[in-house]
Amino acid sequence: MRYRVFTEDDFVAMSDLDALVQSHADPDWAGLPEREQEGRLRTSLPALRFYLRSEHSFVAEEREGGDEVRGGLLTGIVFAQSVWMGDKPIILITACLLRPGSEDEGQTAAGLLHAVIKSAYDAAVYEIHYPLTPQLERAAEAEGSYLTGRYAVHHLGSRQQTAPGERLAGGGYTDAGRR
């Protein structure tokens, strides 16, 4: 397995992996409204160009027989960016996408997280924040990360009805901003 920064040549394979991950995570993926599908995908062209410049995002690639030439199967992606918190910079991991059914899913997640940690250290950024997803849990334990809480996402508009994840109890705010 090789962990590396990605290039524009990887964009199609990254988009294909993202769609595969989404369809595996939700068997009803194909039936979701187009707007919801677009909202779940992390690999729009503007997003890929942004993360390409972030210098903290990586892909995991299977190598054929140890060959160093690109073109192997992408088995994972981690998207991360530097964020100024007002008093210090952090690296924020926004997504970790792993090829469903891969034999080395745990190893891939660990390698991607470690690549971000090394990248942060090299950039003199000493905090990495990320949602503790099932894919990253073992990797977080191996790296000695600290659990400081849970991570929630609030969607506005029609995505509130179809967004992925476990919905917390309560009615929430309506589109008009009232309860």
Side-chain angles (χ1 to χ4, degrees):
M1 190 72 59
R2 178 167 85 157
Y3 304 94
R4 62 175 176 81
V5 295
F6 58 89
T7 68
E8 288 188 13
D9 293 339
D10 296 310
F11 285 5
V12 171
M14 293 170 76
S15 294
D16 291 347
L17 178 57
D18 190 7
L20 178 65
V21 167
Q22 299 306 325
S23 64
H24 183 75
D26 186 346
D28 296 327
W29 167 257
L32 290 174
E34 185 177 335
R35 183 180 216 177
E36 178 60 27
Q37 287 182 1
E38 289 173 2
R40 292 186 190 188
L41 290 171
R42 304 306 301 256
T43 53
S44 68
L45 188 56
L48 289 172
R49 286 191 174 138
F50 172 80
Y51 285 111
L52 177 66
R53 292 187 310 271
S54 80
E55 300 181 6
H56 299 292
S57 298
F58 300 90
V59 294
E61 178 181 52
E62 273 185 7
R63 292 184 287 180
E64 299 286 329
D67 186 2
E68 289 294 326
V69 176
R70 289 189 182 180
L73 178 69
L74 291 187
T75 58
I77 305 167
V78 65
F79 290 124
Q81 64 187 36
S82 180
V83 176
W84 179 250
M85 298 299 292
D87 61 345
K88 65 183 171 227
I90 67 165
I91 301 298
L92 175 64
I93 295 176
T94 58
C96 182
L97 307 172
L98 304 173
R99 182 170 295 282
S102 172
E103 292 179 22
D104 298 334
E105 207 171 275
Q107 179 185 347
T108 301
L112 288 168
L113 179 59
H114 189 74
V116 173
I117 290 170
K118 183 177 182 330
S119 172
Y121 184 81
D122 290 348
V125 178
Y126 301 110
E127 279 188 39
I128 297 99
H129 293 231
Y130 55 98
L132 191 60
T133 63
Q135 295 87 355
L136 286 172
E137 191 164 356
R138 284 196 344 232
E141 289 174 6
E143 291 289 350
S145 295
Y146 288 81
L147 185 62
T148 60
R150 298 185 335 171
Y151 185 87
V153 176
H154 186 88
H155 294 276
L156 300 175
S158 61
R159 289 219 47 224
Q160 182 74 359
Q161 304 306 314
T162 57
E166 174 188 342
R167 186 162 187 179
L168 298 173
Y173 287 94
T174 65
D175 286 338
R178 298 183 301 273
R179 282 193 174 262

